[in-house]
Amino acid sequence: MILEQLDLFHSADLKLSAIERDFSLKVEKKVKIILTRNRSHLISVRKNGQHSVHLRVQEIFLNAPQDIWDAIGTFMVSPTTESRRAIRTFISGYRAAPDLNETYRRPKLNGAGEHYDLNLLFNEINREYFNSEVRCQITWGKSYKKRRKRSISFGNFESFSNLIKINPALDQVKVPGFFIRYIVYHEMLHAKIENTTPAPSGRKLHHSGAFCELEKGFKEYHQAIDWEKRNIHLFIK
């Protein structure tokens, strides 16, 4: 049994080393793959200086077929609709396998807050602004009350998991409804664009000029931006 485990670990090391070499050639930088057990961020890319990249990948991908690793490589450089779809399909199949649940447990989704229900907001905004065409999930994110904050993110859209996370700091009575609606709208706009429009010229444009123009389509856009400027001190300490 011990010999079998050693052989498995040795094979995994060889596989990851080969993938690292392939990815390094693709991006012309040293790529280091780090396996994690992170259940909320399955894939993350971080530049480590000018000449290396750290690719953190959840261990469920260790035994993924080559086409999924190809999709991860594309995602690392510039996410495309096809690469995101391939990764999601693999994740969905993994979630459906009962014998693999010990390795990967899907993060619990919770849209019902004390003051705001994200699912209700999502459905209302989807009907009003997107013709009910946005297909993704939404949840409150984790709360980090003990951390000293110098900046804050009110929400984010994870394209590979097709999930919107909203900062739970917004679930309070002093936050007006129009502002949290704006944040949800903003992330839904990301979901719609990233799920339907490939990045041009191999680049991912997070807040492009076109995105900013579409963002202004939110009816209370200027009111929300003004409220954020006047009240950002409530969230950063």
Side-chain angles (χ1 to χ4, degrees):
M1 182 66 177
I2 294 177
L3 290 177
E4 290 178 357
Q5 289 179 332
L6 291 174
D7 184 62
L8 175 63
F9 297 151
H10 179 64
S11 298
D13 287 341
L14 290 177
K15 178 177 181 177
L16 290 179
S17 295
I19 295 172
E20 285 176 343
R21 289 194 298 270
D22 180 54
F23 285 1
S24 296
L25 290 173
K26 178 178 292 187
V27 300
E28 298 182 344
K29 293 181 180 181
K30 176 67 175 178
V31 175
K32 174 65 175 177
I33 298 176
I34 303 169
L35 291 180
T36 78
R37 291 191 172 184
N38 193 313
R39 295 173 181 174
S40 57
H41 296 280
L42 274 64
I43 302 174
S44 63
V45 182
R46 178 177 297 178
K47 293 182 180 179
N48 186 32
Q50 295 182 341
H51 305 291
S52 91
V53 176
H54 284 178
L55 175 64
R56 300 177 67 85
V57 179
Q58 222 275 358
E59 62 182 11
I60 65 171
F61 292 100
L62 179 58
N63 296 316
Q66 185 59 45
D67 62 316
I68 299 303
W69 278 104
D70 290 341
I72 292 174
T74 300
F75 183 90
M76 176 182 65
V77 178
S78 178
T80 63
T81 302
E82 291 74 18
S83 66
R84 287 191 288 261
R85 184 181 298 118
I87 293 170
R88 286 180 200 152
T89 299
F90 176 79
I91 294 171
S92 297
Y94 215 95
R95 289 169 176 165
D99 57 329
L100 298 175
N101 286 340
E102 291 186 3
T103 302
Y104 176 77
R105 296 180 184 176
R106 183 177 182 177
K108 183 179 180 180
L109 302 184
N110 178 27
E114 184 177 346
H115 297 283
Y116 292 108
D117 188 316
L118 293 178
N119 293 310
L120 290 177
L121 293 175
F122 179 95
N123 291 332
E124 291 172 0
I125 294 169
N126 207 6
R127 287 192 298 269
E128 183 175 358
Y129 291 97
F130 299 102
N131 197 30
S132 297
E133 294 176 353
V134 176
R135 297 285 187 269
C136 68
Q137 293 181 300
I138 190 168
T139 186
W140 291 107
K142 293 183 178 180
S143 178
Y144 300 98
K145 296 181 179 180
K146 295 183 179 180
R147 291 186 181 180
R148 190 176 184 86
K149 301 173 184 176
R150 296 185 178 178
S151 63
I152 188 168
S153 173
F154 289 121
N156 74 291
F157 170 67
E158 293 180 349
S159 58
F160 59 84
S161 58
N162 204 30
L163 176 65
I164 292 173
K165 293 182 179 180
I166 301 298
N167 193 319
L170 297 180
D171 186 29
Q172 50 184 313
V173 68
K174 62 184 176 183
V175 176
F178 66 80
F179 183 72
I180 192 169
R181 279 173 52 85
Y182 159 69
I183 297 299
V184 173
Y185 170 85
H186 178 101
E187 300 307 330
M188 290 178 69
L189 194 56
H190 277 302
K192 179 177 175 60
I193 291 176
E194 293 186 26
N195 283 339
T196 59
T197 307
S201 304
R203 298 180 61 189
K204 181 180 178 180
L205 300 179
H206 192 60
H207 288 148
S208 65
F211 178 94
C212 293
E213 286 301 313
L214 290 172
E215 185 181 32
K216 293 177 183 177
F218 182 70
K219 294 177 181 178
E220 296 164 303
Y221 170 80
H222 294 290
Q223 187 177 0
I225 295 298
D226 180 64
W227 187 90
E228 179 178 356
K229 290 179 179 178
R230 290 186 290 104
N231 294 276
I232 193 66
H233 65 279
L234 298 175
F235 306 98
I236 300 178
K237 300 179 180 180

